[in-house]
Amino acid sequence: MTAVERRSPWRTPEARRTYVSAVLWIAGAAAVLLLDAPDTGGWLRVRLDGPGVVLLCAALIGGWNFFPKAVRAVQGLRLDMNFLMTVAIFGALLIGEPIEAAAIAALFSFAELLESSAVIRARRAVEELVRLSPERASVVREDGSEQSVASSELRKGHRVRVRPGEMIPIDGRVVDGESSVNQATVTGESVPVAKEPDDPVYAGTTVIEGYLEIEATTDAGDTTLDRIIRLVHQAQARRAPIEQFVTRFARFYTPSVTALAAATMLLPPLLGFGGGLDWFTRGLTLLVIACPCALVIATPVTVVSALTTAARHGVLVKGGEYLEALGSTCAIAFDKTGTLTTGHLTVSETEGLGNRSPEEVLALAAAVEHRSEHPIARAIVEHAADRGLAPDAPVSDFEARPGRGVVATVDGRRVQVGTPELFPEQPLPARFIELEESGKTVVLVADDGRLAGLIALSDGLRPEAPTVVEQLRHVGVHEQVILTGDHEAVARSIARSLGLSDVRAGLLPQEKVAAVEELKARHAVVAMVGDGVNDAPALAAASVGIAMGGAGSPATIETADVALMADNLHMLPYAVRVAQLARRLVRFNIALALGLKLILAAGAVGGVVTLMVAVLVGDMGASLAVTLNAMRIARMRA
């Protein structure tokens, strides 16, 4: 936001001219009424008595806010609202209607200030979060001493102390202490999150109780909050398709209504339908009504309000086009692992075959998997460690078989751990089939070529997932599909837990893209929800790609169309509701602006709508109505 935008529009030179114009208009109008000054209206009969001079000053002072812009519009051979208002003011003065001229100048200037205030207020909503960040930070030096420095001087690797009630000044990881942290400013989570050593923390969040010592993982100016603010500002600059349409329509609408006003002034008198002064006044009224202020701001003020409100609740939408798409979503495709499930595998069962004990099977598997970085391997090793079965046997000849498992020599014995594809000649135990059909991921363990046992792992369903699916149905997204590379039985088990029937399992990345394209062939707008990295092709293929966990992943923030900053799904229905409300309000505001102008235009031609009513209702009133309507979004709660 520029320095000019940071300054309140109510404290600018334009605002001061508006205040003076309004005071003079009220004083002049009161003088006319109190002194019962005679009406001097007529062709080229500029009123120059005491009240008339006051009103003339009101018109010229207020009009100076847009007179220079009107001159530039004429030089550029285009008709805009500044030109229309300038013609209306001077026209009213020339026919001896100074009260109307002053009203046009003061009220139009006020409407312009109101519009600027609404847009700047919405833009400031996110930037105000930065002002909550502390200006100074307590840095721990190598000798253990503490030094207060400006937060802007913090660099990666600095150690920072944060005490209860203080705000964290930089992104980092906890190296000492425990506390709960209010992360609502970044992730939108309403409940404080417990933090302990090695947990990530974010600038702009607040330590509730306890002491934390943090090692900075970013430089000042490149925190998650900084990236959010930059991207929201970029998003505000991207215009939604309906906003582009309104802009094109306004280019056609303004000259068309101007031509209609000119025809109203000239044709009826030439055809003998009344006096020229009366029709000239009606034409001037039409010019005021033609001003497309409310129509032009109906979309941007709503979009900006929606983008900033969503960002403050932990939903980053990258532009008006994606906001419109999200609000029009007919179907949603979910990745399974890490999206509908926690993405953290845990061992649920270990069984020995023959005379092997579960402990022996687990110890063998952990000895081999200790060399692997695969999620299944980490889960087995962690479970073995929890059971006191840390691998200590010598391991050699380790070999990974991608997509199948691992093989190694453990204490002189050849041990294999993996999927049935690693054991093509071994018959599957009945228990393996039972566990897999129940939705578990099952690996087999073999010792010197003979099956020794099996280990079942589960990736737990996110606790919020069933509620999210139901809330999405409630807001009109009835088709929800699971797209996963996991086994059919596992995917079906998750789908049953969520009440979903459409599951596509065993998909490669390119097959997920094909599935999304197939959904788009049946639905106008399709959203894809994934982790933002592994699902990047499918997210890109969808009408709007939604990624989770943006606060912990700069790549997610940069690549997704919509990023849920918290690593959970609970803000997804809220994001859809905000987008749907924004879409409804944009259409209502446009209809309101056009409908009001149509009614007033008919009244102006019929001679029942005066210049005063045109500017008070058609310009300032309509602008105020669409602005207040758009601000309703800011009151939405998750």
Side-chain angles (χ1 to χ4, degrees):
M1 187 177 290
T2 66
V4 172
E5 287 176 320
R6 288 191 185 98
R7 182 173 54 179
S8 170
W10 303 103
R11 298 179 181 178
T12 59
E14 290 82 1
R16 288 191 286 271
R17 284 193 289 267
T18 301
Y19 304 149
V20 172
S21 176
V23 170
L24 293 176
W25 166 49
I26 294 170
V32 170
L33 295 173
L34 293 174
L35 300 176
D36 195 23
D39 184 14
T40 59
W43 285 113
L44 300 177
R45 299 179 67 175
V46 178
R47 186 168 189 158
L48 294 177
D49 58 354
V53 171
V54 172
L55 291 166
L56 175 63
C57 291
L60 296 179
I61 292 171
W64 194 254
N65 286 334
F66 43 89
F67 290 163
K69 298 175 186 175
V71 172
R72 289 193 292 271
V74 172
Q75 291 172 340
L77 300 178
R78 66 181 188 277
L79 301 178
D80 64 6
M81 60 189 76
N82 300 295
F83 171 78
L84 297 181
M85 293 299 102
T86 298
V87 171
I89 287 172
F90 282 102
L93 289 173
L94 291 174
I95 61 172
E97 298 291 350
I99 294 180
E100 282 75 6
I104 294 170
L107 294 177
F108 179 73
S109 294
F110 182 79
E112 291 284 279
L113 292 176
L114 183 68
E115 294 163 19
S116 298
S117 177
V119 174
I120 291 175
R121 177 184 175 187
R123 290 183 186 276
R124 282 177 176 166
V126 172
E127 192 165 90
E128 284 174 357
L129 298 176
V130 177
R131 299 174 188 169
L132 298 176
S133 299
E135 294 184 359
R136 304 195 67 80
S138 300
V139 175
V140 182
R141 298 305 181 188
E142 291 183 1
D143 61 0
S145 63
E146 190 174 306
Q147 180 180 357
S148 176
V149 303
S151 296
S152 59
E153 297 177 8
L154 292 175
R155 295 293 178 266
K156 186 176 180 179
H158 280 171
R159 290 169 73 101
V160 179
R161 284 177 179 158
V162 188
R163 295 174 174 82
E166 294 181 348
M167 297 199 75
I168 297 172
I170 193 75
D171 283 6
R173 67 178 185 87
V174 178
V175 293
D176 189 24
E178 294 183 357
S179 177
S180 57
V181 175
N182 183 346
Q183 298 188 155
T185 53
V186 173
T187 66
E189 295 166 291
S190 58
V191 178
V193 179
K195 297 292 182 180
E196 57 186 27
D198 286 332
D199 285 343
V201 291
Y202 309 108
T205 60
T206 305
V207 173
I208 303 300
E209 79 272 330
Y211 154 90
L212 292 180
E213 192 166 307
I214 298 161
E215 179 180 332
T217 55
T218 64
D219 294 336
D222 194 34
T223 66
T224 298
L225 192 59
D226 292 323
R227 288 193 294 270
I228 291 172
I229 293 164
R230 285 196 295 269
L231 288 169
V232 169
H233 286 162
Q234 293 171 13
Q236 291 169 347
R238 293 177 178 169
R239 297 194 299 175
I242 192 169
E243 186 176 355
Q244 297 171 15
F245 165 77
V246 169
T247 302
R248 291 194 301 269
F249 177 77
R251 292 197 194 106
F252 164 80
Y253 161 85
T254 303
S256 298
V257 179
T258 303
L260 178 61
T264 302
M265 293 177 182
L266 299 174
L267 292 182
L270 292 176
L271 297 175
F273 295 104
L277 179 61
D278 178 45
W279 285 106
F280 184 81
T281 303
R282 297 186 191 190
L284 281 182
T285 306
L286 263 182
L287 282 180
V288 174
I289 294 168
C291 178
C293 300
L295 180 63
V296 170
I297 70 165
T299 301
V301 74
T302 306
V303 169
V304 168
S305 181
L307 292 176
T308 52
T309 299
R312 293 178 73 185
H313 286 83
V315 179
L316 181 59
V317 184
K318 302 288 279 294
E321 59 186 301
Y322 304 119
L323 183 73
E324 187 172 335
L326 186 61
S328 307
T329 296
C330 307
I332 287 184
F334 291 97
D335 172 54
K336 181 188 74 70
T337 306
T339 301
L340 294 173
T341 64
T342 62
H344 183 69
L345 287 168
T346 56
V347 174
S348 58
E349 295 178 61
T350 304
E351 296 190 11
L353 299 176
N355 60 353
R356 300 297 185 103
S357 69
E359 290 76 14
E360 184 180 357
V361 172
L362 182 60
L364 276 176
V368 177
E369 297 285 21
H370 190 69
R371 298 282 189 92
S372 174
E373 292 298 321
H374 193 280
I376 290 178
R378 289 198 298 270
I380 291 174
V381 172
E382 289 174 5
H383 185 66
D386 292 342
R387 301 284 297 275
L389 299 173
D392 54 5
V395 179
S396 60
D397 301 325
F398 177 84
E399 181 184 354
R401 306 280 179 86
R404 292 182 293 172
V406 292
V407 180
T409 300
V410 180
D411 200 17
R413 297 142 58 190
R414 195 64 172 163
V415 177
Q416 299 166 287
V417 182
T419 65
E421 286 77 11
L422 192 62
F423 312 92
E425 298 179 359
Q426 296 277 5
L428 289 177
R431 184 59 177 154
F432 178 98
I433 298 172
E434 291 175 8
L435 288 170
E436 190 172 62
E437 287 179 348
S438 70
K440 304 290 178 63
T441 297
V442 188
V443 295
L444 297 168
V445 182
D447 183 4
D448 277 336
R450 298 184 61 184
L451 290 180
L454 51 85
I455 299 174
L457 304 97
S458 60
D459 180 9
L461 188 69
R462 288 183 180 271
E464 74 273 14
T467 302
V468 166
V469 167
E470 186 56 37
Q471 288 177 341
L472 288 172
R473 287 197 186 104
H474 185 69
V475 297
V477 186
H478 297 292
E479 179 152 3
Q480 299 175 49
V481 183
I482 297 177
L483 305 180
T484 180
D486 210 340
H487 297 297
E488 179 84 17
V490 176
R492 290 286 175 191
S493 174
I494 294 295
R496 283 194 298 271
S497 300
L498 296 172
L500 300 179
S501 58
D502 196 345
V503 181
R504 323 281 176 88
L507 300 179
L508 297 173
Q510 62 268 28
E511 292 173 326
K512 284 188 178 182
V513 171
V516 170
E517 295 291 351
E518 186 269 326
L519 284 171
K520 288 171 67 177
R522 293 190 285 113
H523 299 281
V525 181
V526 174
M528 171 73 191
V529 187
D531 62 13
V533 179
N534 296 333
D535 298 306
L539 292 175
S543 308
V544 55
I546 305 170
M548 295 168 50
S553 172
T556 295
I557 295 178
E558 297 293 339
T559 59
D561 301 329
V562 177
L564 307 180
M565 303 307 293
D567 188 26
N568 58 55
L569 283 169
H570 78 282
M571 294 308 295
L572 180 58
Y574 169 77
V576 174
R577 286 192 290 113
V578 167
Q580 288 177 340
L581 178 59
R583 185 170 178 267
R584 289 196 302 270
L585 288 180
V586 165
R587 280 153 178 75
F588 178 82
N589 282 346
I590 291 173
L592 175 65
L594 286 176
L596 194 56
K597 288 186 179 296
L598 183 63
I599 294 170
L600 291 172
V605 174
V608 297
V609 173
T610 65
L611 277 169
M612 183 84 71
V613 172
V615 70
L616 191 61
V617 178
D619 182 53
M620 191 186 74
S623 297
L624 182 62
V626 299
T627 299
L628 294 178
N629 206 17
M631 291 297 104
R632 288 170 50 196
I633 297 177
R635 297 195 297 270
M636 283 195 68
R637 294 292 177 264

